[in-house]
Every structure is written in C-alpha cells, then in structure tokens.
Amino acid sequence: MNEEIEHSYLPIRGLKLHIAHIGKAGEAGTLLFVHGFPEVWYSWRHQMVAAAAAGFRAIAPDLPGYGLSEPPSDLAQASWEGLVKDLLAILDSLAISKVFLVAKDFGAKPAFDLALCYPDRVCGVVTFGVPPLVESLGFSGLPEGFYLHRWKEPGRAEADFGRFDVKRIMRTIYILFSRSEVPVAKQGQEIMDLADDSTPMPDWFSEEDLSVYTNLFEKSDFITALQIPYRTKPAKAEYAKPRFQMPMFVIMGQKDYILKFPALKDYMSSEKLKDIAPDHEITYIPEGSHFVQEQFPELVNRLMIDFLCKHG
C-alpha cells in the first residue's frame, strides 16, 4: 500500500519540507493532511490511499522538525502562525487554490486558523478528536502529573525521554495515548514510567508501524515536537470573524482520552460550538481511540470520503 505513495521535498519559507502525496489533480479536489503528535505523514497512509482511489489528490507534509522535514533553525522562532504560513506556502508551491483540510490532535489548530483566516482557500475541514475551535479550551481541572503539564516544563520530558531509546519512547506514547484514561503520572513518577516493555501494544499497531515511526523520529528527534505543541503559546489568529464558513466534520473515538478533559466535555454540548461552526457534524466511533484513523481505517475512510463527496 505505502509503495503507491510518492515523496518529494519542497523549499518552504527557508526550510526543506517533506511531503507524501498520491493521486492526480482533478475534479474531485485535493486533501491536505495535517498530523499531530507523535505523528508524521505515515499516520495518514490509509486515508491517503483511500482518497486517491476515490479520485482525490492527497498531500501529507511532515511539519517542520517532524519526520523527514528540516527543523526551524531557531526553535524560539517556531510559532503556530508559522505553521499556517507553511501550509499556505505548500499550497502555493503546488499551485493549489483550494483544499479540504484533514487534521488531528494539535494539527487541528493550524487547520482551523487557516480555515478562519483564508476561507476562500478551504472547501471543508475534517478533524479527528478535536471539534471546531476558535481559541484554546485550556486544561483546567487536570492534575500536576498530566502529561501536557509535565512536557510543558523545559527539560522535564528531555530527562524522561533520555532514559530510553526512540523505539521505547514511541512504543510507550502509542500505548498511553491509545487508552481511554488521561495519561497522568503520580508523585515521583514520570510519564514514560506509565508503561514498560511488558505492556502490550494496541493490537492494531504493528511492529512494522513501530519501526517506521522509530526510524522517522530517530531522524528528527523530539526537540521540535516538544516545542510545538507543548511549549509554544498560541497567539490568536487574525480573522475577520470567529465563524467557520465551510462544512466541518468531526470523527471522534468514543474511547479517546481527550473526551475526559473537563473543558472539552462542556464545550462539545455548548451553544458556542453551534455558533462558530453552524455547518458541523460529529460522528462517534464506539471503540475508537485517539488514533482512530489508524485503528479503524476502513470505517474512517468511508466516513471521510462520504463527507468529501457530499461537499466536493
């Protein structure tokens, strides 16, 4: 399957960024996939192939400092606004005027900002695990040992990760993020201590998958990955009005741990969500985890393609 996907490098805002791509430009349209953490283009492999088979062109970059893309020369200059500019520059470089955005995890933030600031460039937005947002919900009500609190602290994750090789780090993160419980360390414990070599991997996550992620993160390391999303404060995007003008589709794993974030639970049923995204729908996959697009690719692909064809 992955042999069908092609790979290229683009000069984007002074960096050499890697993109995976498949399918020809045609009437169906183009999809731009935006990954989260700890992910890269490979996270979208199933969706890319399905999109191409349905007549779409699919493009999945490794964001700067992830996978095969060069990192920013100065991490202090890495910004959320920069990610939006990177996505726009990729579209311009490939002479693509309008796209569907498909994003998950922290990748939803630059996708949402792009849709708000440049609505004429976006046909629709599909997100995994994240409902339409115009500003961060925050993480109030979560304990000190919550992984985001820990990884925000300069040097903390580096010391934690530094005890293990990349394979063990990737294995542990995939195990923890696949659970329905929020990853929280106890006093005197670090996040990497929440699983060990005897903890089984999710049954849908193969040794081959682990090897691919390990090889890619051995190339990129976790330095940029810890900066964005965990340590770079998001600035408010400059949009005309805080309302999405295009159709939005959210696919949620019913067992995704982020559904246990107190602020998210309240927001999902709020009037504010209806106000900012009047044309949105949410579908829950009963056994779905944080990585639902890798866990249930056939179901996710069908839901995604149905939405794209309806709004293409």
Side-chain angles (χ1 to χ4, degrees):
M1 175 185 72
N2 298 328
E3 292 76 17
E4 303 170 50
I5 297 174
E6 298 180 79
H7 299 267
S8 303
Y9 289 88
L10 299 174
I12 301 293
R13 299 193 328 115
L15 297 177
K16 188 168 79 167
L17 298 191
H18 166 257
I19 65 163
H21 51 99
I22 185 172
K24 300 266 189 294
E27 288 183 14
T30 299
L31 279 60
L32 181 64
F33 291 87
V34 192
H35 66 75
F37 175 91
E39 297 170 301
V40 285
W41 73 268
Y42 183 78
S43 315
W44 299 115
R45 61 199 180 280
H46 303 297
Q47 287 67 52
M48 293 179 72
V49 171
F56 293 88
R57 182 184 187 187
I59 298 162
D62 286 338
L63 296 176
Y66 280 78
L68 299 172
S69 288
E70 286 184 340
S73 55
D74 180 4
L75 265 188
Q77 298 301 311
S79 69
W80 292 97
E81 304 92 324
L83 292 183
V84 175
K85 290 176 183 175
D86 292 335
L87 296 178
L88 273 174
I90 288 169
L91 297 181
D92 291 342
S93 174
L94 298 171
I96 298 167
S97 60
K98 203 164 184 178
V99 290
F100 284 98
L101 296 171
V102 184
K104 80 176 291 274
D105 194 69
F106 84 81
K109 161 100 178 120
F112 290 153
D113 287 351
L114 178 55
L116 286 167
C117 298
Y118 302 92
D120 57 321
R121 304 292 299 268
V122 181
C123 308
V125 183
V126 180
T127 52
F128 292 86
V130 186
L133 290 167
V134 295
E135 58 191 5
S136 173
L137 292 175
F139 302 103
S140 59
L142 290 158
E144 177 276 333
F146 173 47
Y147 77 96
L148 271 169
H149 294 334
R150 291 289 185 88
W151 290 351
K152 217 178 214 179
E153 194 181 314
R156 184 92 184 234
E158 288 87 337
D160 186 10
F161 290 8
R163 299 176 294 152
F164 305 104
D165 61 19
V166 172
K167 183 176 182 179
R168 167 66 195 277
I169 296 165
M170 291 303 304
R171 187 179 189 280
T172 299
I173 293 173
Y174 256 81
I175 289 169
L176 297 182
F177 283 15
S178 295
R179 293 173 176 169
S180 60
E181 297 303 317
V182 178
V184 174
K186 294 175 184 165
Q187 194 74 29
Q189 191 181 44
E190 297 299 332
I191 298 300
M192 287 294 113
D193 297 326
L194 295 176
D196 60 30
D197 289 333
S198 68
T199 312
M201 292 197 302
D203 56 12
W204 47 265
F205 190 65
S206 70
E207 286 291 339
E208 182 187 353
D209 295 333
L210 177 60
S211 177
V212 172
Y213 281 111
T214 298
N215 290 339
L216 290 169
F217 273 92
E218 280 175 344
K219 289 180 172 67
S220 66
D221 203 0
F222 293 94
I223 295 168
T224 306
L226 289 167
Q227 190 67 30
I228 290 184
Y230 300 112
R231 297 173 185 167
T232 301
K233 192 173 179 184
K236 192 170 182 183
E238 295 181 13
Y239 42 77
K241 57 180 174 179
R243 175 173 285 203
F244 293 99
Q245 300 173 33
M246 65 290 298
M248 318 278 287
F249 183 40
V250 185
I251 299 174
M252 300 284 301
Q254 190 82 57
K255 295 191 174 179
D256 189 335
Y257 67 86
I258 72 163
L259 286 172
K260 297 207 170 134
F261 292 3
L264 186 69
K265 281 164 73 175
D266 295 340
Y267 178 73
M268 292 287 282
S269 57
S270 71
E271 289 300 315
K272 185 172 184 181
L273 175 53
K274 295 172 193 167
D275 289 342
I276 67 161
D279 184 6
H280 84 273
E281 55 183 301
I282 301 175
T283 292
Y284 290 88
I285 295 179
E287 294 299 313
S289 70
H290 189 65
F291 301 106
V292 69
Q293 90 283 8
E294 294 185 88
Q295 182 185 9
F296 295 115
E298 289 182 9
L299 173 55
V300 164
N301 293 347
R302 189 168 70 248
L303 291 168
M304 181 187 76
I305 299 296
D306 285 351
F307 170 82
L308 298 172
C309 290
K310 189 161 67 173
H311 297 287

